[in-house]
Amino acid sequence: MRNIPFNKPYNFGKEMDYIKNVIAGGKTSGDGEYTSKCQSILEHQLDAHNILMTTSCTHALELALQLIPLQEGDEVIMPSYTFPSTANSVLLQKGCVVFTEVNHDDLCIDVNRIQEKITEKTKVIMVVHYGGNACDMDAIMAIARKYDLYVIEDAAQGFLSTYGRQALGTIGHFGCYSFHETKNISAGEGGALAINTLNPDVVKRAEYIRQKGTNRKDYCLGNVEFYQWVDVGSSYCPSEILMAYLYAQLEQIEEIHEKRVTIFNHYQKLLEKIDSNKIMYYATGNSFGGFNAHIFYMIFNKPSYAIYFMERLKEKGIAAYTHFIPLHVSKMGQSLGYHVDDFPYERDLYKKLVRLPLYPSMTEDVLQQVMMAISEVLKELDHREDIPDDINRYSCI
Ligand SMILES: *Cc1c(COP(=O)(O)O)cnc(C)c1O
């Protein structure tokens, strides 16, 4: 029996050729030809004013928070159901993280619970486009305008999904993308920041911070004779080797996208047919626009059903995983003063949610094998009422 992974990077393109070009050219540090090519593709694809390539989405988030800039004690509202990077970026600027709820179906920020969390100190709303589902950006931008807040989009999972005609990540003040191995377009590690304001000072500062607090960019453009220390900064500029790899990936956007969507649609049709009474919800795609098919998830009625399902798939050689331990439940969230029971839906979500294997190189054969296994296990599950709810084995990535 073949082992079927959860995710597999897709690289049947020109990755090696481009990397060899970089090495042969001798310029392996950042901001060379491939960085600029990636930037252009992204600006075109997303219809974005200003894209800066970064070493990760985590770094793009950190850069965005520095650009606002956040003052000590400023409050940032974000869902508890997200990846730690969303919250770390705030704590690194000495801001306060204020967690909020997500919708029970698309797992995006619940817009009806935002206003009650706004105080005098609130400065930013951070939204997370979960699994490629768009948050309700019109409602969020309206709240932001009413209370004069910034909006940062954590679009790590939202690359190539849209809200209406607008690309996710280009609607709030800043948008952050990830090209981590597990994302739709991957470079191992990597990311990008969309700066959606037209204020040239913000763009300039972003360039300084990204390049170790120096005006290296001005120097490279021939505008100044020397480059020097001009601001507090860090090093968020990816190497050309990484950008060469990413460029090859970006050239395959259409192919990767189509393959993911096809698999997603098969899963969705299968679950429509099965109609199991053990499943509370399964992914149906982005209700606000184009969809990148980043994750296919199922939410079971009880944790024990999800565990049984994952364990049985594993026995059949198929990897399936749950997702984020909500930040308010995690060790760090607890140390910020949150209680496990603060958000009961989110508290239990990660125990009930299962993500299915989804990667572009999945063959028709493998897909059929996975779908067969899903049908079998769900049938078994429907005939069982006796699964204890105290099993404590969760596979998590
Ligand atoms: C993957 C992910 C990140 C982190 O992205 P990196 O590029 O690995 O830093 C941040 N937020 C969310 C929601 C993610 O899924």
Side-chain angles (χ1 to χ4, degrees):
M1 187 176 59
R2 277 178 299 183
N3 271 335
I4 297 168
F6 174 71
N7 179 53
K8 212 175 181 179
Y10 184 77
N11 43 21
F12 296 122
K14 301 208 175 114
E15 286 83 359
M16 270 323 267
D17 294 346
Y18 295 163
I19 289 173
K20 279 183 187 156
N21 289 347
V22 173
I23 295 170
K27 184 185 160 31
T28 51
S29 65
D31 281 345
E33 184 192 337
Y34 283 103
T35 308
S36 129
K37 282 181 160 178
C38 289
Q39 186 183 347
S40 307
I41 281 204
L42 290 182
E43 283 173 354
H44 177 76
Q45 179 80 38
L46 303 167
D47 196 16
H49 299 294
N50 261 298
I51 294 283
L52 290 182
M53 304 310 300
T54 61
T55 27
S56 63
C57 178
T58 302
H59 280 165
L61 290 162
E62 288 177 26
L63 187 45
L65 266 299
Q66 287 171 76
L67 289 170
I68 279 182
L70 211 63
Q71 310 282 326
E72 188 161 350
D74 282 348
E75 293 175 2
V76 178
I77 297 172
M78 70 176 67
S80 155
Y81 189 66
T82 183
F83 190 71
S85 296
T86 325
N88 278 328
S89 66
V90 173
L91 297 184
L92 285 168
Q93 297 305 311
K94 308 228 176 325
C96 292
V97 169
V98 176
F99 291 128
T100 189
E101 291 84 352
V102 289
N103 301 322
H104 293 190
D105 44 16
D106 65 12
L107 309 182
C108 286
I109 192 165
D110 180 347
V111 292
N112 297 313
R113 306 302 297 267
I114 296 177
Q115 294 198 57
E116 67 196 35
K117 315 258 179 359
I118 294 176
T119 72
E120 302 252 287
K121 291 187 171 167
T122 308
K123 191 113 182 226
V124 186
I125 303 171
M126 282 176 100
V127 303
V128 180
H129 301 296
Y130 184 78
N133 296 338
C135 298
D136 187 353
M137 292 310 291
D138 281 349
I140 290 157
M141 296 312 286
I143 296 172
R145 274 192 298 274
K146 182 168 169 197
Y147 295 94
D148 195 21
L149 307 175
Y150 285 93
V151 173
I152 298 177
E153 298 177 68
D154 180 338
Q157 301 180 12
F159 183 60
L160 302 180
S161 278
T162 65
Y163 183 82
R165 294 154 81 97
Q166 283 176 287
L168 299 188
T170 64
I171 304 160
H173 298 82
F174 299 98
C176 303
Y177 301 99
S178 173
F179 303 114
H180 184 265
E181 184 188 312
T182 52
K183 302 303 197 294
N184 286 24
I185 301 291
S186 87
E189 306 276 353
L193 174 69
I195 302 174
N196 303 322
T197 159
L198 294 174
N199 181 346
D201 294 345
V202 175
V203 178
K204 186 142 234 145
R205 245 199 101 225
E207 279 160 359
Y208 293 159
I209 295 171
R210 177 173 168 275
Q211 277 283 8
K212 296 112 176 159
T214 72
N215 58 346
R216 188 169 180 278
K217 176 97 187 276
D218 297 334
Y219 170 76
C220 293
L221 292 172
N223 296 339
V224 292
E225 216 165 318
F226 304 99
Y227 77 89
Q228 57 174 314
W229 189 23
V230 294
D231 206 331
V232 180
S234 191
S235 182
Y236 299 141
C237 173
S239 137
E240 273 286 286
I241 299 176
L242 193 64
M243 292 297 99
Y245 186 99
L246 181 63
Y247 184 62
Q249 287 272 302
L250 290 171
E251 283 186 324
Q252 303 171 84
I253 279 181
E254 294 294 324
E255 199 177 325
I256 292 176
H257 183 73
E258 266 168 40
K259 290 184 180 219
R260 293 192 79 96
V261 169
T262 303
I263 297 164
F264 185 98
N265 289 343
H266 271 101
Y267 283 150
Q268 199 185 339
K269 285 208 188 83
L270 176 72
L271 288 176
E272 268 166 23
K273 267 201 314 240
I274 289 178
D275 194 25
S276 158
N277 64 6
K278 299 287 195 291
I279 300 171
M280 195 184 86
Y281 185 79
Y282 56 85
T284 54
N286 174 11
S287 43
F288 290 107
F291 183 50
N292 68 4
H294 179 57
I295 296 174
F296 190 93
Y297 59 91
M298 303 159 68
I299 305 173
F300 287 86
N301 286 323
K302 285 180 170 190
S304 56
Y305 301 158
I307 293 163
Y308 180 87
F309 182 75
M310 278 189 284
E311 294 284 313
R312 288 288 292 128
L313 284 188
K314 200 161 146 197
E315 282 164 25
K316 293 170 184 282
I318 297 165
Y321 295 101
T322 180
H323 212 177
F324 309 138
I325 295 184
L327 299 185
H328 82 279
V329 169
S330 63
K331 196 171 163 206
M332 190 62 199
Q334 297 280 295
S335 81
L336 293 174
Y338 279 90
H339 297 284
V340 173
D341 299 336
D342 283 344
F343 305 104
Y345 184 75
E346 287 76 0
R347 178 195 63 206
D348 296 339
L349 182 58
Y350 81 100
K351 303 176 188 172
K352 299 194 290 195
L353 182 140
V354 176
R355 293 175 297 158
L356 299 179
L358 209 177
Y359 50 89
S361 60
M362 185 185 268
T363 60
E364 183 67 34
D365 265 11
V366 169
L367 178 61
Q368 290 306 330
Q369 193 184 326
V370 177
M371 296 208 298
M372 188 91 80
I374 292 169
S375 305
E376 283 167 14
V377 177
L378 286 177
K379 206 170 281 165
E380 286 171 23
L381 200 51
D382 266 345
H383 289 103
R384 296 184 60 142
E385 288 299 341
D386 58 334
I387 305 169
D389 223 352
D390 58 347
I391 322 174
N392 244 324
R393 284 170 303 163
Y394 301 117
S395 354
C396 206
I397 56 163

